[in-house]
Amino acid sequence: MENTPVPYYPTTGNRRSQRVGIATSGGNAPALNAVIHGATQELNLRGHEAVGIPKGWDGMIERQRLIRLCDLSHEKLMALVYTGGSELRNCRTKIGYEHFPKLKRVIDGYGLDGIIMIGGDDTLGQAARLNRQKVLQPVHERNNRNTSMFIGVPKTIDNDVEGTEQTFGFESAVQAVRRQVIDMKTDTRTMRRLGVIEVMGRDAGHIALHAGYAGGADITLIPEFEIPAKEVANRVADILLEQEYCVICVGEAYGGAEGNEADGFGHKNKQDAGKKLIALLKEQLKTHPKLRKRRLHNVGTSLQVVGYDARDGSPVAFDSILGGQFGGLAAHLADREKYGRMVSLQNGEITHIALSRAKGGRVVTELEYDPVTMRMWNIPKGVVPVVLRARRKAERAMRGHPA
């Protein structure tokens, strides 16, 4: 007598097979495809139908033909784990009230029980709003009477989404920038120059902070901690006097650097942070007496702007795994009809929180960045407060105040 194999996920009760849409929106990020892989495979294994919505919100508004992800060959499904970009393609559209009627008609026509939405804080904020206002409804009534339509998966290389300790794509971006920092060090050491690497990240300095430390940048400057130009120049001078070259990793929004263009959500582009920093430092360094004595006051400069290439490659292993498991948990939540949630990394564990908590603004804190050394701390976060308390005590004593 043959043994009957145990099902992948045995279920009890009257569980209905669902048709679940998967969409990606916002900027590119390594491991978008890994999320699609994890969600699709998990939905397949649980007897649900996974369909892709091309071009994110644009695809919904334009009623693009759905892609039957559930029919992908094993080979194509496996390839999603390590390939960059999104097979479903993205958009940067802002959903307004004028889009609501068409969105409702299209989603009703798709016959979807729910949507796994992969995007940044803007995308997830829109999904949470649509949930809250009950604009879209699942095609079938759920056992738990939950009427939310979306499950969110946070995506951004900037790592600035509140509610999760890390987003997929961040590690890949850090690795890409780290390589640029190391290459810059090779060039500046050989040519005896001041090198500056300007890094993406919008108003958050996470990429610059991590890549600067891991790549051995002498100084890292991030928008969360503006340091007086004279202090930066003095630190650069000390480094030049010691080794005759210096490498600075700077976040693209440092010094309030801002362009004139803005996206549909009002985010202005960041530009020229590195260029402005070089000009400022050259002005400060040319009158430095010790540099003049060593003929280093007119040091040559190099500028490297790391733009979209930080997010356009294949994901590193960590992001492939994190993205895949983010997608897998999103599928699990859909299977359990727990819509209205966002996948999240909390205390090193992949879990989920209310989608309504998705927002931007997660920035680097004093527990991560040391403005004295102008780098990431060498000590873990739990020890940093001890050093900060000692510094503040010393500052009070220097000002003549009692401890």
Side-chain angles (χ1 to χ4, degrees):
M1 179 176 177
E2 289 187 10
N3 291 327
T4 303
V6 175
Y8 169 74
Y9 182 56
T11 59
T12 58
N14 185 23
R15 191 64 63 78
R16 179 191 295 112
S17 176
Q18 299 181 53
R19 189 181 216 201
V20 181
I22 301 174
T24 60
S25 193
N28 190 16
L32 271 168
N33 278 334
V35 182
I36 297 170
H37 162 89
T40 298
Q41 189 169 54
E42 199 64 22
L43 288 168
N44 288 349
L45 288 167
R46 295 172 186 235
H48 302 297
E49 180 187 3
V51 294
I53 305 173
K55 303 179 186 177
W57 300 116
D58 284 350
M60 298 180 207
I61 294 170
E62 298 166 5
R63 196 166 186 171
Q64 293 277 320
R65 182 187 298 272
L66 296 176
I67 299 171
R68 287 183 55 81
L69 296 172
C70 53
D71 290 340
L72 287 179
S73 68
H74 176 79
E75 180 182 22
K76 288 183 178 179
L77 190 58
M78 291 301 110
L80 291 176
V81 176
Y82 58 83
T83 53
S86 169
E87 286 298 303
L88 298 177
R89 304 195 180 182
N90 295 7
C91 76
R92 285 192 175 276
T93 299
K94 184 176 182 178
I95 299 298
Y97 287 104
E98 67 277 12
H99 298 114
F100 287 3
K102 190 163 189 179
L103 269 178
K104 178 171 173 46
R105 287 197 303 272
V106 172
I107 298 303
D108 287 348
Y110 283 159
L112 298 179
D113 290 281
I115 299 172
I116 294 173
M117 198 72 195
I118 311 163
D121 56 285
D122 292 323
T123 296
L124 298 186
Q126 293 191 132
R129 178 186 175 202
L130 292 170
N131 278 349
R132 185 174 61 253
Q133 297 182 358
K134 302 183 185 299
V135 176
L136 307 177
Q137 298 288 318
V139 67
H140 297 111
E141 185 177 338
R142 299 179 185 137
N143 294 328
N144 60 6
R145 302 295 190 268
N146 181 345
T147 60
S148 292
M149 195 67 182
F150 293 94
I151 293 169
V153 179
K155 169 224 49 95
T156 170
I157 64 167
D158 302 332
N159 208 33
D160 61 350
V161 176
E162 292 280 8
T164 185
E165 294 171 357
Q166 190 159 327
T167 50
F168 67 86
F170 172 67
E171 286 292 337
S172 302
V174 168
Q175 290 286 358
V177 176
R178 174 181 177 267
R179 288 192 293 270
Q180 299 269 13
V181 173
I182 293 171
D183 290 346
M184 177 67 84
K185 285 183 73 74
T186 300
D187 181 75
T188 54
R189 183 176 183 275
T190 300
M191 304 305 298
R192 295 181 297 139
R193 287 176 174 167
L194 167 63
V196 173
I197 299 173
E198 181 183 321
V199 182
M200 289 183 73
R202 291 207 312 197
D203 295 314
H206 298 287
I207 298 176
L209 180 69
H210 286 249
Y213 187 93
D218 301 295
I219 294 172
T220 299
L221 300 174
I222 56 177
E224 294 92 332
F225 293 84
E226 295 287 337
I227 299 174
K230 189 171 183 179
E231 289 183 25
V232 178
N234 286 339
R235 180 66 182 140
V236 171
D238 289 342
I239 294 168
L240 288 174
L241 288 168
E242 179 179 341
Q243 62 187 31
E244 296 189 337
Y245 72 96
C246 179
V247 172
I248 302 174
C249 189
V250 60
E252 65 177 348
Y254 185 80
E258 205 168 68
N260 296 319
E261 296 181 7
D263 63 18
F265 296 90
H267 303 305
K268 286 194 173 182
N269 66 316
K270 312 297 181 183
Q271 64 180 35
D272 295 336
K275 184 178 180 181
K276 292 173 183 176
L277 178 63
I278 288 175
L280 196 62
L281 289 175
K282 285 180 73 71
E283 185 67 24
Q284 293 275 339
L285 296 175
K286 71 181 182 181
T287 59
H288 195 284
K290 291 184 179 180
L291 291 179
R292 292 186 68 86
K293 187 176 181 179
R294 291 272 302 276
R295 296 184 179 179
L296 292 169
H297 59 293
N298 282 325
V299 64
T301 59
S302 298
L303 173 63
Q304 177 71 43
V305 179
V306 185
Y308 294 138
D309 46 338
R311 71 184 192 187
D312 291 342
S314 299
V316 298
F318 179 89
D319 281 334
S320 287
I321 295 167
L322 182 66
Q325 293 188 346
F326 269 19
L329 179 56
H332 174 76
L333 293 171
D335 176 71
R336 306 297 294 177
E337 298 185 339
K338 292 185 177 180
Y339 290 87
R341 308 297 291 177
M342 182 186 84
V343 178
S344 170
L345 186 68
Q346 302 279 349
N347 300 316
E349 297 289 334
I350 298 176
T351 182
H352 53 94
I353 63 173
L355 179 58
S356 57
R357 290 175 58 187
K359 61 179 181 178
R362 182 178 173 274
V363 295
V364 176
T365 70
E366 64 177 5
L367 298 181
E368 301 164 280
Y369 181 78
D370 179 16
V372 173
T373 61
M374 302 181 196
R375 297 179 71 229
M376 179 189 285
W377 290 94
N378 292 308
I379 52 179
K381 289 182 182 180
V383 182
V384 171
V386 177
V387 179
L388 292 176
R389 284 194 295 269
R391 283 183 183 174
R392 287 161 187 160
K393 183 177 180 180
E395 288 172 0
R396 288 194 297 270
M398 291 172 65
R399 291 196 299 265
H401 297 302

